[in-house]
Amino acid sequence: MLRKNGLAGAVRHLIARAALLALLASLTPTLLSQPKQRDLTDESIEDLMNIQVTSVSKTDQELSRVASAVFVITPDAIRHSGATNIPDLLRMVPGLDVARINANTWAVSVRGFNGRFSDKLLVLLDGLSVYTPTFGGVFWEVLDLPLNNVERIEVIRGPGGSIWGANAVNGVINIISRKASETQGVLLVAGDGNVEQGFGTAQYGGRAGKSTDYRVYTKYLNQGQFTSPTGAGGADGWRMLRGGFRSDSVLSSKDTLMLQGDLYRAREGDPFPGFVFTPAPSIQNLDLLVNLSGGVLLGLWNHTWSPHSDTSLHLSYDAYKRNDQLREGRRTFAFDFQHNFSGWARQNIVWGLTYHYSASQSDGSLGISLVPADRNTQLFSSFIQDEIAIVPDHLRLTIGARLEHNDYTGFATMPSARVAWIPTQRHTVWAAISKAERTPSELDVALRADGGVFAGPGGIPVLITLFGNPNLGNGGLIAYEMGYRTIVSRQLSIDFTAYYNNYSHQETNEPSTPYLVNAPSPYLVLPLVYANLMHGETHGTEIAVNWKVTNRWNLSPGYAFEQIHMHLAPTSQDTTSVSGAQGSSPVNAAQLRSHLALSRVLAWDTSAYFVGRLADPREPSYTRLDTGLSWELSERIALSLVGQNLLRGQHEEFLDKTESVNTTLIKRSAYAKAEWRF
């Protein structure tokens, strides 16, 4: 479906292209000043630990003092990672499971329970949820943002329901984009490789009047197909074109307005096992070309009432359409209001209101459909949080709760309490207890999907069909966490977290009464229906270290350990959910990232990721090795050469147990990239 290039040929091709671009750029005068990005490798460990984060409490907090397990992917880490997409960036976070299923599909989760649609992880883009209510997860391929425009990615490992609401069960990922004032001038990016077969970004940032900064961009990628386990082409390559804008305006001394919009169109291969009737009822591998389109319009108005009081109003509209197996589209309007008040001594209060209206339409296909096909839903929510300085600068207590109502299960409450003890500036000890809930997706309540065929009595085909349950309830979690952060010296910091999670009313697949279908040829249907008949517990630890070995060499080791123990209710007849929940994530995972500045203009970055074996579906352990050289020819021109998955020519990372897509083999790859700013 997509063209194939040899690894060496692709690298030589782009090196020549990048060299030509560099020559042209060196002859071009500077048109607009481009602000130089701050290189955090020049910062001390204390400076890195004092980075401001906002996703834990929706207010600015220093990373070192936050009473939560937070990892920040900084602009410098993004620049040196060699990653070309958001999921690969997230591999550097201890406790995050990232696995590539095929060329255009990923499985990403926090603290276990991984899958193509990880329903316990809430993902945000500038505070806007990209968690789809239809599938209960994220389509990672449509988050193909220009990484140059990402200010940082804040990853919360652990519940965030009291602030962000339902489905922020095991974690929250908030992708925060850069302000338009930080992306002035022209940016051109071009790259090519054996897998990344041609990608690029063109962007312009400027000023409108004295009070408005803006940027506009377009981005393109062409991703080559991988190989199927049988050795044939995987038919999973994809192309995407997207464009967008952002403007930041200062309306007055007390008011700011941000407007942001994005549109995309894509075409991707979607090989999947599908149900066919002829010559006999069976499941066969089908190749589907899927057209994707969508967009979002987002507005954020901030108003400062006084030095101790400010409000924000967040309005958004997003829509998408996918002509995949379900052939579904969705339109969502969201309203979020927030008020911060710190006028009382030793207290900082945040409260807010949320309303979401979402409408979905689906046509379905022979093997999968929704009943009813169209559905409109509403969500109402409110939250309040109080941060209390019991002992100023040394002991802080944060208590909060969210009350939420959805059309499927009604009301849910999600309280939390967090305490941080800061005996000195170099040490923070924290603990938390939180309650979170996962609400059913539209598939959970309205699905009809054919899952497998086997020969029954007398040779009659038996078709396993999964049905949604309109009476399905919420899945619950009570989480207990504790952590310790220490700045050992100006060269070394350690962040340690331990947790125990208690899950209730988790989803199972329960057999129901079989029935016979006579046309077009006889077969027996064995129904499976969703229910809430599983419970259990998980416990684990996560460690992140930042070691500045020398002024030019940084090492960042990380490690995560987790054990999952799930159990069925006495009335359950499920035979797969426990093993799937326990075996979809590794017990052990480790990483080591290195950044070495060989000179003022040349840097060498290497990352090694070890992922332990998976028990169900079975996958052996593997180690991924990425490395890259980056060369800053000048403040305007940068070249890079990156190799990924270098240890093995091909390997498998994850099997989608829902069988919504086929797994292909991840390739060893290399690409070259040139960036030109003026």
Side-chain angles (χ1 to χ4, degrees):
M1 180 178 63
L2 298 174
R3 67 182 177 87
K4 297 181 179 179
N5 286 345
L7 177 58
V11 173
R12 289 195 300 268
H13 175 68
L14 188 69
I15 289 176
R17 183 187 299 180
L20 177 60
L21 180 61
L23 177 61
L24 292 175
S26 64
L27 300 176
T28 304
T30 301
L31 300 181
L32 287 172
S33 61
Q34 180 79 20
K36 184 174 177 61
Q37 295 182 353
R38 185 175 58 140
D39 191 339
L40 296 181
T41 57
D42 296 332
E43 306 278 342
S44 68
I45 294 297
E46 288 106 326
D47 294 328
L48 295 176
M49 294 297 286
N50 288 332
I51 292 174
Q52 298 289 308
V53 296
T54 60
S55 302
V56 176
S57 62
K58 290 193 176 183
T59 59
D60 290 338
Q61 295 177 291
E62 290 183 1
L63 174 62
S64 61
R65 300 189 172 203
V66 172
S68 181
V70 182
F71 189 99
V72 178
I73 302 176
T74 63
D76 184 62
I78 295 172
R79 203 159 55 247
H80 295 306
S81 68
T84 58
N85 53 68
I86 297 293
D88 278 350
L89 274 178
L90 296 174
R91 293 179 188 270
M92 69 178 67
V93 183
L96 210 64
D97 300 331
V98 179
R100 196 163 190 171
I101 301 174
N102 59 37
N104 59 66
T105 310
W106 287 262
V108 181
S109 72
V110 177
R111 294 180 177 175
F113 305 96
N114 205 7
R116 182 188 180 188
F117 300 111
S118 300
D119 55 23
K120 297 176 176 60
L121 171 64
L122 188 67
V123 181
L124 311 166
L125 177 57
D126 288 320
L128 173 67
S129 173
V130 295
Y131 181 102
T132 169
T134 302
F135 297 89
V138 174
F139 288 108
W140 289 98
E141 73 270 29
V142 302
L143 281 178
D144 182 48
L145 310 172
L147 297 184
N148 304 76
N149 292 340
V150 177
E151 170 60 30
R152 64 187 185 277
I153 301 176
E154 298 180 2
V155 181
I156 302 172
R157 307 182 308 275
S162 62
I163 288 293
W164 297 104
N167 307 315
V169 177
N170 283 355
V172 177
I173 298 174
N174 192 9
I175 305 164
I176 300 170
S177 61
R178 301 174 68 191
K179 294 181 179 179
S181 60
E182 299 173 351
T183 55
Q184 298 290 283
V186 175
L187 170 67
L188 298 176
V189 178
D192 199 2
N194 68 316
V195 171
E196 308 286 347
Q197 296 177 351
F199 60 93
T201 300
Q203 178 170 288
Y204 175 78
R207 301 206 74 187
K210 297 182 179 180
S211 59
T212 298
D213 296 287
Y214 68 90
R215 68 168 172 259
V216 292
Y217 80 90
T218 183
K219 185 178 187 297
Y220 174 76
L221 74 83
N222 180 7
Q223 170 76 64
Q225 67 175 344
F226 289 162
T227 304
S228 74
T230 64
D236 56 352
W238 57 303
R239 298 182 176 96
M240 175 174 285
L241 177 66
R242 71 185 303 134
F245 76 93
R246 171 166 173 155
S247 68
D248 295 282
S249 302
V250 179
L251 304 180
S252 70
S253 60
K254 294 185 176 182
D255 297 275
T256 62
L257 177 66
M258 185 273 283
L259 294 175
Q260 185 170 299
D262 286 275
L263 290 172
Y264 67 85
R265 293 185 66 87
R267 186 175 177 87
E268 66 183 27
D270 183 26
F272 68 98
F275 177 65
V276 297
F277 283 110
T278 57
S282 63
I283 298 293
Q284 298 181 11
N285 288 331
L286 305 175
D287 292 340
L288 179 67
L289 287 176
V290 178
N291 292 320
L292 316 176
S293 61
V296 61
L297 183 62
L298 171 67
L300 175 61
W301 172 39
N302 291 313
H303 177 75
T304 301
W305 298 91
S306 73
H308 304 291
S309 177
D310 62 82
T311 57
S312 64
L313 179 62
H314 206 154
L315 298 175
S316 65
Y317 174 80
D318 71 90
Y320 71 82
K321 189 173 183 179
R322 304 175 63 96
N323 72 333
D324 53 12
Q325 304 168 55
L326 191 58
R327 296 198 287 268
E328 186 250 356
R330 179 174 289 275
R331 296 171 289 111
T332 302
F333 168 78
F335 162 95
D336 288 276
F337 171 81
Q338 179 180 315
H339 180 208
N340 299 340
F341 178 73
S342 58
W344 296 339
R346 300 187 179 183
Q347 286 184 280
N348 184 23
I349 297 174
V350 184
W351 67 275
L353 302 171
T354 298
Y355 171 74
H356 290 183
Y357 173 82
S358 193
S360 70
Q361 309 85 34
S362 64
D363 296 328
S365 60
L366 181 62
I368 182 171
S369 60
L370 296 176
V371 183
D374 302 338
R375 186 184 295 264
N376 301 334
T377 59
Q378 298 183 87
L379 182 142
F380 302 88
S381 184
S382 64
F383 80 95
I384 186 168
Q385 178 178 272
D386 190 3
E387 183 181 8
I388 307 167
I390 298 176
V391 179
D393 298 324
H394 292 289
L395 185 62
R396 291 181 174 272
L397 172 67
T398 304
I399 54 175
R402 179 176 281 268
L403 176 65
E404 190 166 286
H405 182 276
N406 69 81
D407 289 349
Y408 296 135
T409 59
F411 284 100
T413 57
M414 289 161 279
S416 69
R418 301 179 179 274
V419 61
W421 177 42
I422 309 162
T424 71
Q425 293 295 318
R426 290 178 173 265
H427 302 274
T428 299
V429 180
W430 62 270
I433 179 172
S434 312
K435 181 177 182 290
E437 298 204 9
R438 182 256 170 181
T439 58
S441 68
E442 190 171 350
L443 261 66
D444 293 325
V445 300
L447 177 67
R448 186 195 187 282
D450 299 323
V453 173
F454 63 92
I460 185 171
V462 177
L463 175 65
I464 301 173
T465 302
L466 187 60
F467 290 90
N469 181 358
N471 298 314
L472 195 70
N474 289 351
L477 166 69
I478 298 179
Y480 306 87
E481 303 173 274
M482 63 83 61
Y484 172 59
R485 292 188 192 91
T486 179
I487 302 174
V488 179
S489 67
R490 289 182 60 84
Q491 288 75 40
L492 181 65
S493 69
I494 301 174
D495 190 340
F496 170 82
T497 302
Y499 62 91
Y500 173 82
N501 289 346
N502 189 349
Y503 296 90
S504 61
H505 303 100
Q506 299 301 295
E507 204 167 89
T508 58
N509 304 321
E510 303 297 333
S512 187
T513 304
Y515 60 91
L516 183 67
V517 176
N518 290 311
S521 59
Y523 62 95
L524 188 67
V525 176
L526 177 60
L528 295 177
V529 181
Y530 288 125
N532 298 105
L533 297 179
M534 184 169 64
H535 62 280
E537 57 279 335
T538 69
H539 62 271
T541 58
E542 299 149 352
I543 303 173
V545 178
N546 197 344
W547 181 21
K548 200 174 183 70
V549 184
T550 69
N551 288 336
R552 292 191 173 189
W553 188 22
N554 279 20
L555 285 178
S556 301
Y559 172 73
F561 165 83
E562 181 178 49
Q563 289 279 9
I564 303 175
H565 304 284
M566 304 304 290
H567 318 280
L568 295 175
T571 57
S572 175
Q573 301 180 59
D574 187 298
T575 60
T576 61
S577 293
V578 166
S579 61
Q582 294 180 160
S584 60
S585 297
V587 175
N588 296 284
Q591 59 190 254
L592 178 61
R593 293 180 291 118
S594 168
H595 172 70
L596 178 61
L598 299 173
S599 68
R600 290 182 60 253
V601 298
L602 187 64
W604 177 29
D605 292 274
T606 302
S607 300
Y609 303 98
F610 169 78
V611 179
R613 70 177 184 88
L614 305 183
D616 186 18
R618 289 187 176 274
E619 291 285 2
S621 62
Y622 66 90
T623 299
R624 171 187 172 120
L625 179 66
D626 300 343
T627 191
L629 286 172
S630 56
W631 182 22
E632 299 280 346
L633 277 74
S634 68
E635 290 189 5
R636 292 183 293 152
I637 309 165
L639 304 178
S640 57
L641 179 64
V642 177
Q644 298 175 319
N645 295 294
L646 296 179
L647 296 183
R648 299 176 62 183
Q650 296 181 125
H651 73 280
E652 191 173 279
E653 290 188 359
F654 197 86
L655 286 170
D656 174 34
K657 198 171 184 181
T658 66
E659 298 184 346
S660 60
V661 293
N662 284 334
T663 295
T664 54
L665 304 180
I666 314 305
K667 286 184 179 181
R668 177 187 291 129
S669 64
Y671 71 86
K673 181 178 71 171
E675 294 188 18
W676 181 21
R677 300 174 183 272
F678 61 91

